[in-house]
Amino acid sequence: MGSGARGDIRRRLAVVLAVLTASGVLALAAPGTAQAAPASCTGRKVRTLPFATGSVHVYKGGGRICAITYQKYPGTKRRISVSVQARGHVAVKKSRSHTRTSDPVSVYAGNRPVRVTGSVGTGSYASGWIHF
């Protein structure tokens, strides 16, 4: 009787160890899939800020302000940038060379005014403090 109980415990321990090892391997194999970057801004569109070579679209939802810069005539690869700064905080900036849009920038503004800037190639836009 004693050896049967030990064998049963060893088998259960082996199964538990195998399950833990498999889950650990799976967790290490795909760490980036759980945190994908947002493809666009969420919330409602509150303003479009046009300039000579493009426009900045500003969205608001849940106290967050999000902005994306769009080219006026997409197709040519140019340097596109966008920046959003909530009053009293550091500006969040993103810039890349692309044929159409910048990456979205999102900040928590709460009830504070924000400053939005955007540029496409040589054209740019810089707002003052806007309260959304």
Side-chain angles (χ1 to χ4, degrees), residues 32 42 53 64 115:
T42 58
T53 56
R64 296 191 71 80
R115 184 183 319 191

Side-chain angles (χ1 to χ4, degrees), residues 88-111:
H89 293 278
V90 178
V92 178
K93 303 173 188 177
K94 287 196 180 175
S95 179
R96 70 177 182 168
S97 289
H98 198 263
T99 59
R100 192 168 159 184
T101 67
S102 67
D103 288 329
V105 169
S106 181
V107 299
Y108 181 78
N111 200 25

Side-chain angles (χ1 to χ4, degrees), residues 2 9 13 37 39 41 59 64 77 80-81 83 87 90 110-111 119 127 129:
I9 292 174
L13 184 61
C41 291
Y59 300 83
R64 296 191 71 80
K77 195 170 196 177
I80 305 173
S81 66
S83 169
R87 184 110 173 169
V90 178
N111 200 25
S119 69
S127 73
W129 292 106

Side-chain angles (χ1 to χ4, degrees), residues 14 31 38 40 51 54:
S40 64
F51 55 97

Side-chain angles (χ1 to χ4, degrees), residues 66-85:
C66 183
I68 300 177
T69 303
Y70 290 90
Q71 277 197 43
K72 191 171 194 175
Y73 302 108
T76 306
K77 195 170 196 177
R78 295 183 185 150
R79 175 60 77 189
I80 305 173
S81 66
V82 65
S83 169
V84 179
Q85 178 183 5

